[in-house]
Amino acid sequence: TREITSWDEFAGVAKALALGPHDASYLLRGQADANWDLKPSLLRYFGPNVDAATVLRVEGMGLADFASQAHLHLDTGIAPPLRPASFHPIWWALMQHHSAPTRLLDWTLSAYVAAYFAVER
């Protein structure tokens, strides 16, 4: 963990971490607190002793609810079919983009994108 105290210092760190399009040496997270666990938003809703069946049931209900209302907000060409199950990762990405809790964990190659998500709330 490194505390950065100025924009110039941040820009220097961001430049040092700047990567080419095919170099993934660093993946960054935009978290407001370095002490937070790397835990997807879906799992943050449950206590430590939750069983997998409960998480999968709630995830399925959330996916069905999101998909049933997506046509009200998405261009019809964007929404994937709900079945077969191989399309679920596409739905999860759409849900994540719209701040719904999912099993996905966001990563970026950009220090600027990570900084935005660390301070946006």
Side-chain angles (χ1 to χ4, degrees):
T1 302
R2 176 179 173 180
E3 184 175 335
I4 296 175
T5 59
S6 73
W7 179 256
D8 288 337
E9 184 180 359
F10 174 76
V13 170
K15 184 176 181 180
L17 293 175
L19 305 169
H22 303 292
D23 182 9
S25 298
Y26 295 97
L27 292 174
L28 307 168
R29 288 264 313 141
Q31 294 190 166
D33 187 334
N35 294 316
W36 290 349
D37 290 334
L38 294 177
K39 187 181 284 190
S41 57
L42 179 65
L43 294 182
R44 287 188 216 129
Y45 285 100
F46 298 100
N49 298 324
V50 67
D51 61 288
T54 300
V55 174
L56 291 173
R57 183 175 48 76
V58 170
E59 179 186 55
M61 291 176 358
L63 173 61
D65 190 42
F66 184 88
S68 73
Q69 297 181 38
H71 70 282
L72 301 171
H73 307 283
L74 299 175
D75 182 1
T76 55
I78 294 175
L82 186 54
R83 298 284 185 242
S86 62
F87 287 105
H88 286 185
I90 298 169
W91 278 109
W92 295 331
L94 283 170
M95 291 171 68
Q96 183 89 350
H97 178 74
H98 292 279
S99 301
T102 71
R103 64 170 70 188
L104 303 180
L105 196 56
D106 287 325
W107 297 93
T108 182
L109 295 174
S110 169
Y112 293 98
V113 171
Y116 170 80
F117 284 104
V119 301
E120 59 112 6
R121 292 192 183 168

